[in-house]
Amino acid sequence: MNSPDRRRRSLWIALPVAAAAALLVVVLATRDSAFERNASSPILGGLAPPLVGQTVTGEPFDLDDWRGRWVVVNFFQSTCVPCIMEHPELVEFDERHSATGDARIVSVVFDDTVENVREFFAVHGGDWPVVAAGASQAAVAYGVTGVPESYLVAPSGVVVWKQLGGVTADGIDDVIVQLSVSERG
């Protein structure tokens, strides 16, 4: 085979490969990031699994006491980088809803120490319950595989949304608005 034929054949092979690579780059660049993506779960659409335990401040906590409002159940660890990155968003969400009390956050410690968690909240802020005792049972009941992982519980007590990876205050509010509109409509 002579050299021009080889070059022509190489060109015909390289063009589709380059086109496929370019398409892959476009798809990866325009897809939703893990920061904005929700996920499926067998608990979606059912009553929230029990979340009963003791907070890092020693107070008892029972998720059922919060029926009638939206609740973000956030599983986290103090040394998890995505957890640290999402924390200001949770603080912002909590501040937006603290006056009306229509939505709350509860964090659930995932494989961490109470001391580390207390220090984390002292440094990064956040004024909501953080469940430590009973957290491992909750993680199993919710099917948590890693952190951060968040669930949104509707005022009725039904789990309506699951998020793998970090959340944003606007993202959670958007989900609440969408679900509130669909319930009314």
Side-chain angles (χ1 to χ4, degrees), residues 2 56 62 66 68 80 84 103 108 111 122 125 129 139 148 160 185:
N2 63 25
V56 296
D62 187 342
W66 284 7
C80 153
I84 295 166
V108 184
D111 193 28
V160 293

Side-chain angles (χ1 to χ4, degrees), residues 108-120:
V108 184
V109 176
F110 187 86
D111 193 28
D112 207 337
T113 67
V114 170
E115 295 79 25
N116 287 347
V117 172
R118 283 184 186 143
E119 183 178 331
F120 178 88

Side-chain angles (χ1 to χ4, degrees), residues 42-104:
I43 67 169
L44 286 173
L47 285 177
L51 177 50
V52 178
Q54 189 173 21
T55 68
V56 296
T57 60
E59 300 296 317
F61 180 85
D62 187 342
L63 181 62
D64 284 343
D65 292 342
W66 284 7
R67 285 270 175 95
R69 63 186 65 145
W70 295 95
V71 181
V72 176
V73 179
N74 175 257
F75 290 85
F76 88 106
Q77 184 182 61
S78 65
T79 58
C80 153
V81 172
C83 300
I84 295 166
M85 291 173 54
E86 83 172 350
H87 195 77
E89 296 288 333
L90 292 170
V91 170
E92 181 179 336
F93 179 85
D94 185 58
E95 288 172 353
R96 285 182 191 173
H97 295 275
S98 64
T100 61
D102 63 327
R104 299 289 313 265

Side-chain angles (χ1 to χ4, degrees), residues 41 56 71 97 147 151 156 183:
S41 170
V56 296
V71 181
H97 295 275
V147 289
Y151 296 81
S156 63
E183 284 181 4

Side-chain angles (χ1 to χ4, degrees), residues 87 91 94 104-105 121 125-130:
H87 195 77
V91 170
D94 185 58
R104 299 289 313 265
I105 299 172
F121 274 80
D127 187 27
W128 56 83
V130 182

Side-chain angles (χ1 to χ4, degrees), residues 75-76 110 135 138-151 162 164:
F75 290 85
F76 88 106
F110 187 86
V140 170
Y142 280 77
V144 175
T145 58
V147 289
E149 195 165 303
S150 297
Y151 296 81
K162 174 184 177 182
L164 298 173

